[in-house]
Amino acid sequence: EPTAEPTAEPTAEPTKLPIPMPTVAPGNPSKMPSSYPTPEPSSDPTVVPSSVPTSMPSALPTPAPEAGVLVTTPDWHTVSEESGKQTSSFEISLTAEPLDTVYVNFTSLGNTAMDPAWVKFTFGNYDTPQTVTVSGIDDSIDQGPWYKDHIDVNFTSADECKEGTRDLPCGQYVAYNGFDGTNSADGKSLRMDVNVTDDDTAGVQVTTTHVNTTFDNYGDALGEDMYGIRLTSEPRYDVTLSLSTDGRFSYTDVPSVTFTADDWYTVQYVTVTSSAATGRRPVCQDSLTREPAKYKQKCAELTGRKDVISHAFTSSDPFYTDATNSVQDVKIYSTVFYDPVLPPFLSTAKFTTLLNGVLVTFDKDTVQPGGAGSFECVSVLNLTVTKKTLGTDWIGDGALCSWLSASSLKVTFGMGPTVIPDDILHLKDGVVQSSNAYASLFAMNQSITILGPDKPTVPTVTFNAPQAIGVCDDLTLDASASQGSGGRDMTFNYTVKCSNADACANVTAVLDEANKVNGGTGTHTVTIPASVISKGLKMEFKLTASNFLGEMTSRTTSVEKLGYPAPNVAIQGGNPRETTYSEELVLRADASLPEMKCVADSLSNAKMTYVWTELTGQYTGSLSTTNPRILRIAKNQLLATKSYEFQCFVALTSNTENNNTASVVVDVTQQPVTAKIAGGKERASGTDQALVLDAGDSVDPDDMSDEWSYVWSCVNKTDGTVCKDTTGGQLQIQPNTTNALARVPAGKLYTGTYEFSVFVKKDDRNDTTSTTVVITAGAPPVVSIGTLSEDKYNPIADSYLRLAGSATSSGSIVSTEWTQVGSSVTGAFISGSDMRATGVVQLDALTAGVTYTFMLTAKDTFGESSYSTVEVVMNEAPSSGGLSITPSHGYVFETDFSFLSENWVDEDLPLSYKFVYTVGYEGSWTPVADAQASASYDALLPQGLVEDNYTLTGMTVVYDYYDSYSSATDTTRVLPVKYSTAQLANISAALTTEALELGDPEASMQIMGATHKSLSGGSSDERRKLTSSSEEAALRSALLETLQDTYAMSDITQANVDSMMSTLDGIVNAPNDLTTATAMDSLLFAQKLLVVSVDNEIGISATGTGYTGTALSYLLLSSMFNASDVTSVTSVSAENVTEVLRYLSIAQLDGAYAGVSYTLSSPLIHSSSAREEAQYLGGDSKGVPGSNAKVSFPSNFSNAAKLPVSGNTYVDMRVVTLDTDVYTAYASYRNSGNTVASNMYGSSTYNTDLNSAVTQVEVMDEDGNVFDVGGLDPAEPIYVTMQATEPIDTNFSGWKMEKICYTDGQVLEIDCPLGKQTYTCDSSLGGVDGTYFLDFTCPGVVPTCMWWSEDEGEWANEGCSVVNYTSTNVTCGCTHLTDFVLGKNVSTASFDISFTSAPTSLPTPVPTSLPTTSLPTPAPTSQPSSTPTPGPS
């Protein structure tokens, strides 16, 4: 006999009875019984019958009883849904002893619960009544006052009986399974009816029956309120409540709310807003007055009121309809909030002194509609209504508005304004609002009469004319650069007096006709034909210019007509002209060959000689020139209060007797001194600290030798009295020996606000300035800001201002922060610099004409803070002028085009003018000449493009004294002339030779520009080949030689560098038509041009940078980098390219501050150049435009790299990508079938293919000295991210293959992406039978990180490894800096094996635990030890 239940076949199994699923009301699964009873077997053990019966059977069998059920129940059960409130009950028992255990289950339709849910009867208790309590099931649905349910009674039994186990034979017991009889008590059905009293009522609850809203003085909604809605019972169907108000001026945020069976109990909130009960804005229309005193904030229409929100039902639920239900109305109480201030009113509108705008003031601060910076005036002004003028152009084409303060609006006229004093300026309605946070009213119906200026500008006449003219030359009188009429044409009147009155008549007649043109306003430029001027005639011309206000100025000049041919020469600008000690003087002579048409002689050549002299003898410095026409006197050479006279002598080189002169008197005006106090405009100090005031930074721009004197004073700003110390006596300021430094000892001042002033004096010049000091208790940090070097700053792109701050404390400074005070400007600081003591401001984020206050705040370890402020005045650029180009069309090489820049206005004179052009309508701009004093210039222009109808766009760039600038454009058409290459070469050579002989390098560059544009033909899409490539190559070589000659005669200025780079770009723009020598010389020329730019500290413009990039891109496609053609020069050229790019970076960063960066994006070259303090390099990251390439430096980089600089020293970073095309583009450009590859560095022996642009990374000092960065910790490398040229395969799942090795030596073939691989199985690696699984990783193409080794002359990879990569980008970790590139390599195949481990012992065919006997017994020897699981209790 087993000691425990065997795992083999059991000796007996309890009888399992089927259990019917109880009936459950549909839709109410929660009412299903939690478990079902499992019937028990009989409790009698199995008994083996004896051979002799225990008694004799009776004579007749006993009749079998009938099954019956007795239920004691009321006719109706009445129960309530509310728990415990009303219940019912019934009793149930069996009328006959059952065969087996009987389970009775009670079910309902789901609205009634029975407790217990089932009962059990056995042969021992079958006739004992069991009580069942009936109760209602609480739901959330309104079904009326009451509703019906019923209780069904279900019987379940095994109905099994074994003879001999009971007192009577089994036939004497009754089967009850599935009993469906009636109630033995009354013969009725066992189903019992139930009435359920419903405790749910359908309805709607609102959280409040009234809400409060507000609207503002203007009438618009202001404050909102809300109320909540929910249902009181669960709906059978969705319920939608529509919301409506009884007026048009209260609103709900939703038109309706919908409830479902899932969310009926969740409160849904409705937001209510209200406005004034009228559509008029503002509501009080009778308040639209121009007088604040008559303005009415209140009116009958602007009153509070009460509205009502009503609700309507939409639902299929019969208990949620308008007929069966209702919702309380919600009352809306609307209240008006009146503005604490009236809307802004116009105070004044007045012409500016320069007449180029109107200054509009308001009686209070406004919200400054239109925002920071300049914006179109239509945003704030009604431009369609004035009193005397019509149309929208009364303020000129291109007019702009800007807020100078919150209450001051400046209207800057565009070109050609017509507005005059007494015109009416109209404000745009509904735009200008008070800056008060609670204001709602707008300025409406506001207009004001425009007043004339307080002190109108008087015209400034700039009268250019030669002092003498040759016998055959016309005389041109040019006053086009005259100013003083606010951007509109002036009236010009010429008169003349002559040495011979009779000979003057013809000249006078010409002038009279000129004075009549333009409706009698005359013209600024008059040409008098040579034929009306007698030989030897001396003429004194007078020009009177008047502006539209009648202000006028006159100027005279004398001209003599010579009796022989002489060169024409005149010095640009007025005579006399003014300059200062601290500025460079540039004198430009306009010169041309004499006309020979009235004499029998002719000129043998065009060469002219120029000699500059100073006639007073006061100037003894150098008068040498590079461009013979231009004399440059460096700043600090001409002494203040002196007058000099400079003369330009011009003669024909072949015959110096044919000469002419022009002279100009230069008055060096004395400049005012400027008082400055170091530390800031306002700063904080402590009662426990000595206050030091320093006026030593006061400036004398004339650097006169006289001594400074200083007088200090102090005023208490609280009451305006003289400052007193803590003893009550007058504060004694203790100056040093020179009085420049003043000191207030600690403890001498109470807390408060004080204004310290200094009066400075030098010779007869003086100035006063002040600083505000806020004295606080204790000893806060000492914060100071250095004085500014300029009076004004220009809000133009790529312009920056360094604010040099400092902070000290007896503890440590834990933070510094720069902020802008008093305006809404954002983004003023370069990112990161606002959290340093020295901040860098991006000036183009600021508005012209506005004075800004910047604050530096510092906190120390004691939790103390302090601050200092500085004021920055923003300059306004020239305005209101325009450009005209004549004629409207012409022909290349044949037509001189005249640029005329007119009517520009600025207070910071003198103005200078630069003229540029672009082919078509947009693109890179090419200068035709450097900036000059003359407002007009004649130039030869290249042909346009056929797709643009041969249009060229010209631009004038007008600069003021501080180099702030504005521009205007005009167009002309330059048509082509058909030339062969030989003809083009001849014309170009002849014209450039003449230009250089005339000493005019700018004309030479114009001619070269026209030449290379003609080579390219009239289309931007494809080049028109004039003849064979060899002829064109020769012409390009000749152009480069001419460019070298032109360079030798040119001043090194930004404009000239731009022009020469543009010319170089045009020369090399066909790489196939460049000889290797021309390409090499072009590269060296670019290098030379950048070197002199750096040496002369002129930097390089964005235009020049762009031309440099495109020229280098073309050169990278030339034969110079084709290793199969000229291997000997390839590595040298690569070094030159690197050198050119290095100098480009140095030039870009010339004068830059920490945090400033510049970029280059060209066809094959992309770069980023940045300047930073060495201490901030760690963790810095720099990328390049047009690429994902990026370099990230490790923390504490400057120390890790052992840079030989201090932490605050400027360090420059250069990141350049040379696109992959640099290796292959030349061959494909030349011949798509040629497989020869170009390699910039020569042939690489590294066994790999390149897969990225070459990335150059350098760190250098400000002078371009490159630091040797190497030997970094491999754990903290420099991360170089490069962009793959071809996508990298990152689908590693495709590299994975699974195979099975079955036998030793089996050879598996694996189909890998790069080709078949084989694997030989080794059964010793397998499991018990030698079988194993093989996870095979195929070889794949993977990136490698490489760098150029100068020593080895090839790519290497030691010290540079892949950190991570995607399909497009690879990040390399490198321990040094050089040139980097991505390679492609093939990884080695690898594999892993796995198999199923053998068990510790062999499995048995039978369970591991065996019974004690070999076979199970056929029947249990005794009653089972356990019974089946009982039913639920």
Side-chain angles (χ1 to χ4, degrees):
E1 181 176 293
T3 59
E5 183 179 359
T7 56
E9 184 179 316
T11 57
E13 183 177 6
T15 303
K16 297 180 180 178
L17 302 178
I19 301 175
M21 182 73 71
T23 303
V24 180
N28 197 2
S30 63
K31 308 305 185 289
M32 185 179 291
S34 60
S35 61
Y36 304 108
T38 303
E40 290 181 335
S42 172
S43 60
D44 292 338
T46 303
V47 179
V48 179
S50 62
S51 57
V52 180
T54 56
S55 62
M56 295 297 292
S58 61
L60 295 173
T62 303
E66 292 184 359
V69 176
L70 180 63
V71 179
T72 304
T73 178
D75 290 340
W76 287 88
H77 292 283
T78 300
V79 297
S80 172
E81 285 186 357
E82 187 174 350
S83 177
K85 184 175 183 180
Q86 184 176 10
T87 62
S88 183
S89 64
F90 62 88
E91 291 182 343
I92 185 169
S93 61
L94 305 183
T95 60
E97 188 174 350
L99 279 170
D100 206 342
T101 300
V102 179
Y103 294 93
V104 184
N105 294 312
F106 309 108
T107 60
S108 71
L109 295 176
N111 300 302
T112 306
M114 283 65 68
D115 184 22
W118 57 274
V119 296
K120 180 176 71 173
F121 293 102
T122 66
F123 65 88
N125 74 338
Y126 73 92
D127 56 353
T128 301
Q130 298 192 47
T131 301
V132 179
T133 301
V134 182
S135 60
I137 296 176
D138 197 7
D139 62 10
S140 301
I141 303 173
D142 185 355
Q143 302 183 65
W146 60 271
Y147 54 92
K148 292 182 178 181
D149 199 354
H150 59 254
I151 303 170
D152 286 324
V153 184
N154 306 292
F155 297 84
T156 303
S157 176
D159 284 345
E160 291 185 355
C161 178
K162 291 186 179 181
E163 294 294 345
T165 61
R166 303 281 289 277
D167 293 340
L168 297 174
C170 290
Q172 296 301 308
Y173 303 102
V174 178
Y176 272 95
N177 188 49
F179 177 78
D180 61 355
T182 60
N183 188 349
S184 299
D186 56 13
K188 295 181 180 180
S189 170
L190 291 176
R191 172 176 287 185
M192 292 168 276
D193 292 322
V194 182
N195 282 341
V196 182
T197 302
D198 198 342
D199 65 348
D200 298 301
T201 303
V204 178
Q205 285 185 344
V206 293
T207 57
T208 182
T209 57
H210 69 274
V211 292
N212 297 301
T213 61
T214 58
F215 54 93
D216 59 33
N217 210 155
Y218 191 66
D220 289 343
L222 182 62
E224 61 188 28
D225 202 354
M226 61 174 59
Y227 68 97
I229 311 176
R230 74 169 183 88
L231 303 186
T232 59
S233 70
E234 179 183 333
R236 296 182 179 181
Y237 302 95
D238 290 355
V239 176
T240 297
L241 283 173
S242 299
L243 315 176
S244 61
T245 62
D246 61 354
R248 294 185 297 119
F249 302 101
S250 288
Y251 320 92
T252 58
D253 62 334
V254 290
S256 63
V257 292
T258 298
F259 296 94
T260 68
D262 295 327
D263 66 0
W264 65 273
Y265 198 77
T266 301
V267 177
Q268 297 192 41
Y269 288 95
V270 177
T271 300
V272 185
T273 55
S274 301
S275 61
T278 175
R280 295 194 304 272
R281 294 293 181 272
V283 173
C284 302
Q285 292 287 306
D286 59 354
S287 68
L288 301 184
T289 174
R290 298 181 180 91
E291 300 178 43
K294 296 181 180 180
Y295 191 89
K296 295 181 180 180
Q297 282 185 271
K298 299 180 180 181
C299 58
E301 298 93 335
L302 195 68
T303 57
R305 66 181 189 284
K306 182 174 68 176
D307 292 340
V308 175
I309 303 174
S310 58
H311 310 78
F313 288 100
T314 302
S315 179
S316 297
D317 189 323
F319 292 96
Y320 281 106
T321 66
D322 290 333
T324 61
N325 220 320
S326 63
V327 186
Q328 284 181 294
D329 289 341
V330 175
K331 296 178 181 178
I332 307 171
Y333 294 92
S334 299
T335 305
V336 60
F337 268 70
Y338 292 98
D339 282 14
V341 296
L342 294 180
F345 281 82
L346 289 167
S347 294
T348 61
K350 185 181 295 186
F351 269 86
T352 61
T353 299
L354 296 177
L355 308 180
N356 66 328
V358 171
L359 188 62
V360 182
T361 61
F362 294 85
D363 66 346
K364 59 178 60 67
D365 286 351
T366 71
V367 294
Q368 301 179 57
S374 298
F375 53 90
E376 292 187 6
C377 293
V378 69
S379 299
V380 291
L381 300 181
N382 183 342
L383 299 180
T384 61
V385 183
T386 58
K387 186 176 74 173
K388 297 180 179 179
T389 56
L390 301 175
T392 60
D393 60 349
W394 59 278
I395 55 175
D397 183 22
L400 293 172
C401 285
S402 60
W403 290 95
L404 302 184
S405 70
S407 61
S408 178
L409 174 73
K410 183 176 183 182
V411 181
T412 301
F413 298 151
M415 185 172 62
T418 58
V419 59
I420 58 176
D422 292 334
D423 276 352
I424 307 297
L425 179 144
H426 291 263
L427 203 61
K428 190 173 184 178
D429 285 348
V431 170
V432 180
Q433 196 175 33
S434 167
S435 62
N436 187 289
Y438 301 101
S440 67
L441 295 169
F442 293 91
M444 303 287 289
N445 194 32
Q446 291 280 311
S447 61
I448 195 167
T449 299
I450 302 173
L451 304 176
D454 291 333
K455 184 179 180 181
T457 290
V458 175
T460 299
V461 176
T462 302
F463 198 175
N464 280 332
Q467 293 167 330
I469 57 173
V471 66
C472 301
D473 289 297
D474 298 336
L475 171 61
T476 297
L477 307 175
D478 182 5
S480 60
S482 300
Q483 300 166 38
S485 193
R488 61 191 84 192
D489 292 336
M490 287 191 286
T491 297
F492 295 95
N493 184 273
Y494 282 95
T495 59
V496 63
K497 294 180 180 179
C498 300
S499 57
N500 183 335
D502 294 336
C504 236
N506 292 334
V507 176
T508 299
V510 172
L511 297 180
D512 288 344
E513 289 300 315
N515 293 335
K516 294 177 183 178
V517 302
N518 298 320
T521 61
T523 178
H524 50 66
T525 302
V526 178
T527 298
I528 304 172
S531 58
V532 303
I533 307 175
S534 304
K535 292 180 183 180
L537 185 64
K538 295 181 180 180
M539 300 161 283
E540 182 182 80
F541 293 94
K542 180 180 180 181
L543 171 62
T544 301
S546 57
N547 60 30
F548 68 99
L549 294 182
E551 301 291 334
M552 62 180 62
T553 300
S554 298
R555 186 170 293 277
T556 61
T557 189
S558 297
V559 182
E560 179 182 1
K561 173 105 176 234
L562 302 175
Y564 54 87
N568 292 296
V569 58
I571 297 176
Q572 291 184 3
N575 188 12
R577 63 185 298 177
E578 294 182 348
T579 189
T580 64
Y581 170 81
S582 58
E583 65 179 299
E584 179 188 36
L585 174 66
V586 180
L587 300 177
R588 176 188 285 260
D590 290 332
S592 61
L593 292 170
E595 283 287 347
M596 305 295 290
K597 59 188 177 184
C598 67
V599 296
D601 295 338
S602 61
L603 298 175
S604 58
N605 59 59
K607 194 167 186 178
M608 294 200 298
T609 297
Y610 298 79
V611 178
W612 289 87
T613 55
E614 199 282 308
L615 302 180
T616 68
Q618 298 182 94
Y619 176 73
T620 58
S622 173
L623 292 170
S624 63
T625 63
T626 302
N627 182 331
R629 295 172 172 234
I630 300 175
L631 175 66
R632 295 180 182 273
I633 306 295
K635 63 182 180 180
N636 303 337
Q637 298 296 307
L638 302 180
L639 301 180
T641 72
K642 301 289 186 181
S643 290
Y644 303 83
E645 185 173 5
F646 292 92
Q647 177 181 277
C648 182
F649 169 88
V650 182
L652 298 179
T653 305
S654 60
N655 182 7
T656 56
E657 292 183 357
N658 280 0
N659 63 71
N660 202 346
T661 60
S663 62
V664 60
V665 173
V666 177
D667 295 325
V668 185
T669 60
Q670 191 171 39
Q671 302 174 88
V673 295
T674 303
K676 295 188 177 185
I677 301 176
K681 185 66 177 176
E682 179 179 315
R683 54 179 157 155
S685 187
T687 54
D688 298 341
Q689 295 168 318
L691 175 64
V692 178
L693 304 168
D694 185 359
D697 287 339
S698 298
V699 177
D700 173 15
D702 290 335
D703 197 21
M704 303 294 278
S705 59
D706 302 67
E707 293 295 327
W708 288 96
S709 64
Y710 306 85
V711 178
W712 291 91
S713 61
C714 176
V715 172
N716 188 319
K717 293 193 72 172
T718 303
D719 55 17
T721 61
V722 174
C723 297
K724 292 182 173 55
D725 61 20
T726 51
T727 66
Q730 183 172 338
L731 179 69
Q732 299 298 312
I733 303 173
Q734 301 174 1
N736 65 353
T737 55
T738 66
N739 287 339
L741 199 69
R743 187 174 184 273
V744 177
K748 286 293 186 178
L749 287 172
Y750 287 114
T751 58
T753 303
Y754 303 87
E755 183 176 77
F756 290 88
S757 299
V758 63
F759 172 82
V760 301
K761 189 173 186 298
K762 196 175 191 183
D763 48 58
D764 59 350
R765 296 168 296 157
N766 60 74
D767 191 30
T768 300
T769 191
S770 63
T771 182
T772 298
V773 180
V774 179
I775 302 296
T776 61
V782 177
V783 182
S784 179
I785 303 173
T787 56
L788 302 181
S789 60
E790 300 290 343
D791 297 328
K792 296 181 179 180
Y793 292 88
N794 301 323
I796 57 180
D798 294 331
S799 291
Y800 303 90
L801 169 61
R802 180 176 180 265
L803 298 178
S806 64
T808 59
S809 170
S810 56
S812 298
I813 299 297
V814 296
S815 69
T816 55
E817 182 181 9
W818 283 97
T819 54
Q820 196 281 314
V821 181
S823 78
S824 58
V825 64
T826 58
F829 286 89
I830 288 179
S831 178
S833 74
D834 56 333
M835 305 306 290
R836 303 176 186 175
T838 295
V840 179
V841 179
Q842 301 179 104
L843 293 174
D844 60 349
L846 307 182
T847 301
V850 176
T851 297
Y852 291 90
T853 299
F854 293 96
M855 176 185 291
L856 175 63
T857 304
K859 294 182 180 179
D860 63 16
T861 50
F862 303 120
E864 297 287 332
S865 65
S866 187
Y867 70 92
S868 179
T869 68
V870 64
E871 288 186 348
V872 177
V873 180
M874 300 308 298
N875 187 24
E876 292 185 84
S879 68
S880 309
L883 172 70
S884 62
I885 304 176
T886 53
S888 60
H889 71 277
Y891 293 89
V892 66
F893 296 117
E894 297 179 0
T895 305
D896 282 335
F897 292 87
S898 295
F899 289 69
L900 177 59
S901 187
E902 295 182 275
N903 297 327
W904 292 92
V905 181
D906 196 275
E907 66 180 353
D908 301 311
L909 303 178
L911 300 182
S912 58
Y913 305 84
K914 184 171 74 174
F915 300 100
V916 298
Y917 70 87
T918 187
V919 176
Y921 295 96
E922 58 184 4
S924 298
W925 297 96
T926 299
V928 296
D930 201 355
Q932 57 180 29
S934 175
S936 61
Y937 190 85
D938 291 344
L940 188 149
L941 298 176
Q943 69 179 67
L945 300 176
V946 63
E947 56 261 41
D948 293 325
N949 196 24
Y950 301 107
T951 298
L952 267 72
T953 300
M955 176 189 292
T956 179
V957 184
V958 184
Y959 300 87
D960 69 6
Y961 175 81
Y962 292 98
D963 286 333
S964 187
Y965 61 84
S966 295
S967 63
T969 61
D970 193 17
T971 60
T972 189
R973 295 172 61 233
V974 185
L975 284 70
V977 176
K978 292 184 178 180
Y979 298 111
S980 68
T981 301
Q983 291 172 323
L984 184 62
N986 290 335
I987 291 172
S988 178
L991 291 177
T992 54
T993 298
E994 180 178 327
L996 293 176
E997 287 181 343
L998 288 173
D1000 193 350
E1002 293 164 331
S1004 176
M1005 282 186 279
Q1006 296 166 25
I1007 297 159
M1008 285 186 286
T1011 303
H1012 69 70
K1013 285 291 193 299
S1014 295
L1015 273 175
S1016 299
S1019 172
S1020 61
D1021 296 328
E1022 59 182 58
R1023 299 176 55 252
R1024 177 175 61 88
K1025 304 293 288 185
L1026 298 177
T1027 183
S1028 70
S1029 179
S1030 61
E1031 288 185 349
E1032 186 169 333
L1035 177 51
R1036 291 182 185 274
S1037 296
L1039 286 174
L1040 182 61
E1041 290 180 12
T1042 304
L1043 181 58
Q1044 299 272 17
D1045 294 338
T1046 304
Y1047 162 83
M1049 193 181 284
S1050 299
D1051 291 335
I1052 301 303
T1053 65
Q1054 266 201 9
N1056 286 340
V1057 170
D1058 289 351
S1059 186
M1060 285 186 275
M1061 278 296 186
S1062 171
T1063 303
L1064 180 65
D1065 175 41
I1067 292 172
V1068 302
N1069 69 3
N1072 284 344
D1073 294 325
L1074 296 176
T1075 66
T1076 300
T1078 301
M1080 186 67 178
D1081 289 344
S1082 296
L1083 182 59
L1084 293 175
F1085 179 78
Q1087 181 177 339
K1088 176 171 66 175
L1089 200 53
L1090 290 169
V1091 168
V1092 297
S1093 296
V1094 170
D1095 291 344
N1096 283 272
E1097 298 181 350
I1098 64 167
I1100 189 168
S1101 70
T1103 297
T1105 298
Y1107 282 129
T1108 304
T1110 53
L1112 288 179
S1113 294
Y1114 288 128
L1115 289 173
L1116 291 176
L1117 298 174
S1118 71
S1119 60
M1120 178 171 50
F1121 293 109
N1122 184 351
S1124 66
D1125 183 11
V1126 282
T1127 306
S1128 59
V1129 301
T1130 301
S1131 60
V1132 175
S1133 300
E1135 294 174 4
N1136 288 333
V1137 168
T1138 299
E1139 194 74 4
V1140 169
L1141 292 171
R1142 184 178 298 134
Y1143 271 98
L1144 176 61
S1145 176
I1146 299 169
Q1148 285 181 295
L1149 293 171
D1150 180 72
Y1153 303 123
V1156 174
S1157 63
Y1158 297 94
T1159 60
L1160 162 66
S1161 185
S1162 64
L1164 296 182
I1165 301 173
H1166 306 270
S1167 73
S1168 175
S1169 301
R1171 176 162 291 170
E1172 189 53 275
E1173 291 183 22
Q1175 62 184 322
Y1176 296 119
L1177 281 180
D1180 200 6
S1181 179
K1182 298 298 178 187
V1184 297
S1187 171
N1188 294 331
K1190 182 176 66 173
V1191 177
S1192 300
F1193 295 94
S1195 60
N1196 201 23
F1197 169 73
S1198 62
N1199 289 336
K1202 298 181 176 60
L1203 300 185
V1205 294
S1206 61
N1208 58 0
T1209 301
Y1210 284 171
V1211 173
D1212 295 344
M1213 293 161 286
R1214 185 175 70 87
V1215 183
V1216 181
T1217 60
L1218 306 173
D1219 284 359
T1220 312
D1221 286 344
V1222 73
Y1223 300 99
T1224 59
Y1226 172 76
S1228 61
Y1229 181 91
R1230 184 174 185 179
N1231 183 348
S1232 59
N1234 191 336
T1235 59
V1236 176
S1238 167
N1239 188 325
M1240 178 175 168
Y1241 292 95
S1243 298
S1244 173
T1245 59
Y1246 195 81
N1247 186 22
T1248 186
D1249 293 325
L1250 302 183
N1251 192 34
S1252 75
V1254 174
T1255 300
Q1256 296 182 343
V1257 186
E1258 287 184 342
V1259 177
M1260 52 192 181
D1261 64 17
E1262 289 184 82
D1263 297 325
N1265 299 307
V1266 180
F1267 297 121
D1268 183 11
V1269 177
L1272 297 180
D1273 184 354
E1276 292 190 77
I1278 297 168
Y1279 293 109
V1280 181
T1281 299
M1282 289 175 276
Q1283 183 173 328
T1285 306
E1286 297 178 1
I1288 301 169
D1289 184 7
T1290 56
N1291 182 22
F1292 303 118
S1293 61
W1295 300 14
K1296 303 289 187 180
M1297 303 291 174
E1298 294 181 353
K1299 296 289 183 179
I1300 302 177
C1301 278
Y1302 293 103
T1303 60
D1304 190 43
Q1306 178 185 359
V1307 178
L1308 302 178
E1309 284 195 355
I1310 303 166
D1311 292 327
C1312 288
L1314 299 183
K1316 287 186 181 297
Q1317 297 282 315
T1318 60
Y1319 175 81
T1320 303
C1321 297
D1322 181 356
S1323 60
S1324 67
L1325 302 176
V1328 174
D1329 60 355
T1331 301
Y1332 59 91
F1333 297 98
L1334 179 71
D1335 293 325
F1336 189 86
T1337 301
C1338 293
V1341 177
V1342 294
T1344 58
C1345 299
M1346 299 187 296
W1347 53 276
W1348 183 252
S1349 172
E1350 293 287 350
D1351 295 337
E1352 301 297 330
E1354 65 174 27
W1355 294 107
N1357 67 347
E1358 297 82 5
C1360 208
S1361 59
V1362 174
V1363 177
N1364 56 60
Y1365 67 98
T1366 66
S1367 61
T1368 56
N1369 300 325
V1370 179
T1371 297
C1372 303
C1374 303
T1375 59
H1376 63 291
L1377 289 182
T1378 181
D1379 292 359
F1380 301 96
V1381 75
L1382 291 181
K1384 293 191 291 185
N1385 219 332
V1386 178
S1387 63
T1388 304
S1390 62
F1391 60 86
D1392 292 317
I1393 63 172
S1394 61
F1395 51 84
T1396 303
S1397 300
T1400 56
S1401 61
L1402 292 176
T1404 60
V1406 293
T1408 55
S1409 297
L1410 297 176
T1412 55
T1413 56
S1414 59
L1415 293 174
T1417 57
T1421 57
S1422 64
Q1423 179 176 321
S1425 60
S1426 63
T1427 59
T1429 304
S1433 59

